Amino acid sequence: MELEKIVEKTMNFIDSDGDVFGQKIKVISYDIEKNNVEIGEEKETIGIGVRVFEGKKQGFSFTNNINFLEECVRTAYKVLNVSREREDFDSLPSPKKIKKRNLVDNSLYSISSEDLMDFSIDMIQSCEEAGGTPSSGSTNLTYHEEAISTSTGINLSQKYATLFGYISSIYKDNDVSTGFDFNIMRKTFDFKEIGKKAAYKAKETSNAKKIESMYSEVILEPEAVSSLLSNTFISHLYAESVDKDRSYLKGKIGEKISNLTMIDDGTIDYGVGTSDFDGDGNPTKKNVILEDGILKQYLYDDFYAKKFGVESTGNSDRDYKSLPSIGTTNFIIDGKKIEGIKKGFVIHELRGAHTANPISGDFSVEISSGFYINNGEKIHPIKHGMITGNIFELLANVKGVHGELKDTGGLITPSIVCEVKVIG
């Protein structure tokens, strides 16, 4: 049965206000161990999430068994009967005009399991040809379908697919160094380039040297920016964080936060985070969050938009197992272009950013790949280094951006030039 029909059938069991969110996910994947492609896996999941409302009370249930749709709805009502009223709930969203976008290149729908295995082999061979030794990796192709139906008249569906490749490489000289590369897109791409880059990164960072502790200019490359901001900053933009006094940015609309521009845009053709509609059934949008460093707005789902008396920004994130929450789509960072730095460090990757304090923004994370720079040139790779500081202080003192934009999987950024404490 088609997903839309399953959602419609489930909706017919609801005799109050409510909504049904359905997902169908098919994943084809291969794991890489050393220079071998392991046995591939292909699995498909269909899930249904049900919300029911009576006044300000809500019940929620989900199932991944389409033979138990009516039972799932009954369970949601049982939860409703024992739940407390949510005084700040207003109503479900009403239907709005939805623009159809280019969510995925249709070529992804013609990729077979054998093709994906060949892509895995391409990464391994190109890594070896570039002088690296593959250690691990993976490829996967994920097909998504989503459908939503509400008692207020929303009936929507969308389909998209995502292609992913990753490989880690080892290089042995006087010591052992590692490097990795990956790509994720809603289009086809060259898997051989991933293997080459992983081998190059591993070789480039061999024979690393210890460094002294100092305050220094650094270039944070896109992967480092992505991991740091995802764990310390982005949640402060969510209206829920503002409402619950968990956001440093509360009350700072109109203030200068940084020298950067930040945009969340769910409308980019073929973007990894692009969709026609969000988890509430509202249209996705282009939202300017920071413009030349000035905070313009927060991100909202339907619930918090109504609570704050504004329009939803189209940032409701949802799967069938969970209630809607606020999330990003394609989060884009840009700023004043500068040449780079004369002396300091370039940091490719960070390890342990998940240990940063998401409330205060304090971080102390390991540099897993980086270089010491002098007179504008890379002198030697570094090891056993860390950077420490506070994300809001770092952003307030950003000097500019360097290099090209890179999509790290929904966060699209160039390198950022700033000053931070580096610990040897």
Side-chain angles (χ1 to χ4, degrees), residues 136-283:
S136 64
S138 63
T139 55
N140 71 61
L141 176 61
T142 306
Y143 298 107
H144 299 261
E145 293 184 38
E146 297 173 351
I148 185 171
S149 179
T150 74
S151 57
T152 55
I154 294 174
N155 291 286
L156 298 168
S157 64
Q158 59 190 1
K159 297 180 180 180
Y160 54 93
T162 305
L163 183 63
F164 172 80
Y166 160 85
I167 196 166
S168 178
S169 175
I170 294 172
Y171 181 78
K172 295 181 180 180
D173 191 9
N174 295 326
D175 60 0
V176 177
S177 56
T178 62
F180 74 87
D181 196 57
F182 70 94
N183 201 353
I184 178 170
M185 295 184 72
R186 292 188 184 172
K187 296 180 178 181
T188 56
F189 52 81
D190 187 357
F191 280 79
K192 292 180 180 179
E193 282 299 309
I194 300 174
K196 289 178 184 178
K197 289 179 180 178
Y200 174 76
K201 289 178 180 179
K203 186 175 182 179
E204 185 185 38
T205 56
S206 66
N207 302 316
K209 298 180 180 179
K210 292 182 179 180
I211 56 174
E212 295 181 359
S213 298
M214 66 184 82
Y215 282 98
S216 173
E217 283 191 319
V218 300
I219 299 174
L220 294 176
E221 295 208 327
E223 289 85 354
V225 173
S226 179
S227 62
L228 191 58
L229 264 63
S230 296
N231 288 282
T232 60
F233 176 74
I234 290 178
S235 65
H236 290 261
L237 299 169
Y238 297 164
E240 180 179 8
S241 299
V242 174
D243 183 59
K244 294 181 177 179
D245 294 320
R246 295 200 303 253
S247 174
Y248 171 83
L249 302 176
K250 182 174 182 177
K252 296 185 183 293
I253 297 293
E255 294 186 18
K256 192 171 181 66
I257 305 301
S258 179
N259 294 316
L260 298 171
T261 291
M262 297 185 182
I263 298 170
D264 187 81
D265 191 349
T267 71
I268 301 171
D269 284 347
Y270 309 112
V272 172
T274 298
S275 59
D276 292 336
F277 57 88
D278 70 359
D280 291 320
N282 283 318

Side-chain angles (χ1 to χ4, degrees), residues 1-175:
M1 187 186 301
E2 293 183 0
L3 185 64
E4 291 176 76
K5 295 294 184 182
I6 296 171
V7 168
E8 180 183 339
K9 180 179 179 180
T10 310
M11 194 68 206
N12 289 334
F13 295 127
I14 296 176
D15 56 12
S16 65
D17 288 335
D19 68 6
V20 178
F21 184 81
Q23 278 186 312
K24 181 178 179 181
I25 301 175
K26 179 181 178 181
V27 181
I28 306 171
S29 63
Y30 286 91
D31 286 334
I32 295 170
E33 292 293 338
K34 296 184 178 179
N35 61 348
N36 295 313
V37 180
E38 299 296 305
I39 296 174
E41 183 179 24
E42 185 171 331
K43 61 181 180 180
E44 182 176 282
T45 302
I46 298 177
I48 298 294
V50 176
R51 288 195 297 171
V52 294
F53 296 86
E54 288 182 359
K56 294 184 178 294
K57 295 180 69 175
Q58 172 183 273
F60 172 73
S61 181
F62 68 89
T63 183
N64 56 14
N65 188 332
I66 62 173
N67 296 315
F68 290 93
L69 300 177
E70 188 172 8
E71 177 62 28
C72 182
V73 174
R74 285 199 295 265
T75 301
Y77 278 111
K78 290 177 182 177
V79 174
L80 180 146
N81 290 333
V82 297
S83 67
R84 297 179 180 179
E85 289 189 350
R86 192 170 186 182
E87 292 298 330
D88 42 8
F89 174 74
D90 185 293
S91 64
L92 288 168
S94 57
K96 298 176 180 66
K97 185 177 180 180
I98 303 295
K99 182 179 179 180
K100 290 291 184 180
R101 310 187 187 281
N102 295 316
L103 301 186
V104 61
D105 190 303
N106 287 332
S107 63
L108 294 194
Y109 291 101
S110 63
I111 295 175
S112 66
S113 177
E114 290 75 16
D115 292 332
L116 196 64
M117 181 173 68
D118 289 341
F119 295 156
S120 303
I121 294 170
D122 286 343
M123 285 198 301
I124 292 171
Q125 291 179 342
S126 62
C127 179
E128 292 177 328
E129 289 168 0
T133 300
S135 58
S136 64
S138 63
T139 55
N140 71 61
L141 176 61
T142 306
Y143 298 107
H144 299 261
E145 293 184 38
E146 297 173 351
I148 185 171
S149 179
T150 74
S151 57
T152 55
I154 294 174
N155 291 286
L156 298 168
S157 64
Q158 59 190 1
K159 297 180 180 180
Y160 54 93
T162 305
L163 183 63
F164 172 80
Y166 160 85
I167 196 166
S168 178
S169 175
I170 294 172
Y171 181 78
K172 295 181 180 180
D173 191 9
N174 295 326
D175 60 0

